[in-house]
Amino acid sequence: MPLDVIVGAQWGDEGKGRVVDLLAAKANYVARYNGGDNAGHTVTVEGQTFKLHLIPSGVIHAHTTGVIGNGVVVNPATLFEEIRSLKDAGVNVGPERLRISFAAHLITPAHRAIDAAQEAARGKKAIGTTLRGIGPAYTDKVSRTGLRLGQMLDIDTFSSAIEAHIQEANQRLSMLYSAKPLDVKTEARQYVEYARQLQPYITDVSVLLSEAMKNGQRVLAEGAQGTLLDLDHGTYPFVTSSYPTAAGALHGLGLGVGCTERVVGVTKAFQTRVGAGPFPTELSGELALHLRGTGANPWDEYGTTTGRPRRVGWLDMVLLRYATRINGLTELALTKLDILTGLETLKICVAYRQGGRTFNELPLGPGELAGFEPVYEELPGWEKDLRRVSAWEDLPKQARAYILHIEELCGAPVRMVSVGPEREQVVEIS
Ligand code: IMP
C-alpha cells in the first residue's frame, strides 16, 4: 500500500522531522494532516538547521510535493514566512510544490487573541498552549462558523466573511475577556491580500493524493504533536485541539482506511512534555539537566515554537504501549538515544501503582493519569559516545538491551534509532 504514516508516540517533539526527512527520500508527496503552526519540526542537513511549523518538513527533499490537508489549521502569515525563509535557504516552495486543501481552516489574529485571553482567564488552570490560536480556530470549525481556505477563491464573499469574523471575535474579546478589540478593516484587508496569494495553492487534496497513489506514487503523512496530545486519546484537557493519531492522518487528508502500509511511531529514548498536565515519570535536578541540556544546542529540550524548557523524565512504557495500540503502530523509531550516554543506570516505567494496586494499562485512559506512581525497572547504562555509530552491532550491549526491552514491552519492532541531529546519524535496523 502506498501510504506511510508518521505519528508522535508521546507528547510531541519526538523528533518526527528527522524520521520524515529519512522516509521522504522515497516519497512523492509529504502531507501534514493535523494541527497548525503550533508544531515545530527541526531538520538538520549538512549543518543547516530548518525549523518548520506549518509546511511539511519533507519538502526539504527537492523531489517531493508538500501537501497541507483538510485537518490542518493554516495561519497564512506563518505560511508565507516559511516559504520566504525556505527560499532564502535555496528551497523553492511555490504553488507547484505545495498544495493546500480547500477544506483546511484559517487561523486569524482574532483566534490568536482569543487563545491568549482564554489562557489568561484560566489562571492556574492554564493549559500552557502555544498561543498560536489553535484551539479557537478548531472551535470555530466545530461550531460551523470557521473560515475555510476554499472561501478565499471568491474574494468578494471572503472579504465579507473575514470582516464578520473579526467583528464577532471582537465582541467575544471585549465582552468575555475585557481584551482589546482588533481593527476590522486592517485585518480584513490583510486577509484579502493573503487570499489573492493563496488562491494558486488551493486544491482538492483527497483527489490529488488518491490519484497519485493509484498511479503508484508514495505518500508520507507527517503527523504533528503526539498521541498523548490527541483531543480524544490524549491527557485531556491538557491536549491540543486536533487528532495527531494515525486515524487523524486518513481523516485529515481525506483518504480511505485501506491505503496504509507502515505506521511509524516516533518516540524519544526518554520522555518529554511542554505545557501543563500530568507526567508520572518526570525528573528534576541533575538528571533532568542531563536529559534536557542547557539550551546551548539546537537539539536541547527547549520548544521549537515557544522556546520554553521542556519537562523531561524516564521513558514511560505504559504510555508507549498505549500509543502502539491506539495508532496500530507497525514499527517504532527511537530518537535521541545518544543523550542517555553517561548515565550509570536507566529507569523505564513498566506499570503504575495507585492505592496499593498495580496497573499495566491505564484504567480510564491518559485523561485520568494524575495520581499514578510509576513502577520502574532498572537497566545498566553505557559510557560509549554513540554519535558515530551507524550499525546495530556497534551499539554497546547495554544500549541494545535497552532497545530490545522496549520492543518486548510494547510489542512493536524498533526499526530506526537516531544517535545525533544530523541526517546520517541514524542506525537502521532491518
Ligand atoms: P495548543 O496546541 O497551542 O492549543 O497547545 C495545547 C497543548 O499542546 C500545550 O500543552 C502545548 O504545549 C502542546 N503542544 C502543541 N503543539 C505542540 C508541539 O508541536 N509539540 C509539543 N507540544 C505541543
Side-chain angles (χ1 to χ4, degrees), residues 5 7 32-34 70-72 221 230 233 242-255 327:
V5 183
V7 296
R32 272 281 305 269
Y33 60 84
N34 77 294
N70 57 278
V72 176
D230 186 276
H233 298 295
S242 70
Y243 303 107
T245 38
L250 302 175
H251 192 263
L253 295 171
L255 300 177
N327 294 296

Side-chain angles (χ1 to χ4, degrees), residues 60-83:
I60 290 167
H61 286 271
H63 69 275
T64 61
T65 298
V67 173
I68 294 181
N70 57 278
V72 176
V73 280
V74 176
N75 182 336
T78 309
L79 185 76
F80 288 119
E81 172 58 37
E82 288 188 1
I83 290 174

Side-chain angles (χ1 to χ4, degrees), residues 303-336:
T304 310
T305 302
T306 59
R308 292 180 287 182
R310 295 184 189 134
R311 300 159 68 193
V312 294
W314 295 120
L315 186 62
D316 188 326
M317 290 307 303
V318 181
L319 296 178
L320 192 55
R321 219 167 20 233
Y322 172 81
T324 306
R325 170 162 56 83
I326 289 289
N327 294 296
L329 299 181
T330 60
E331 63 191 87
L332 288 165
L334 188 68
T335 59
K336 297 192 93 168

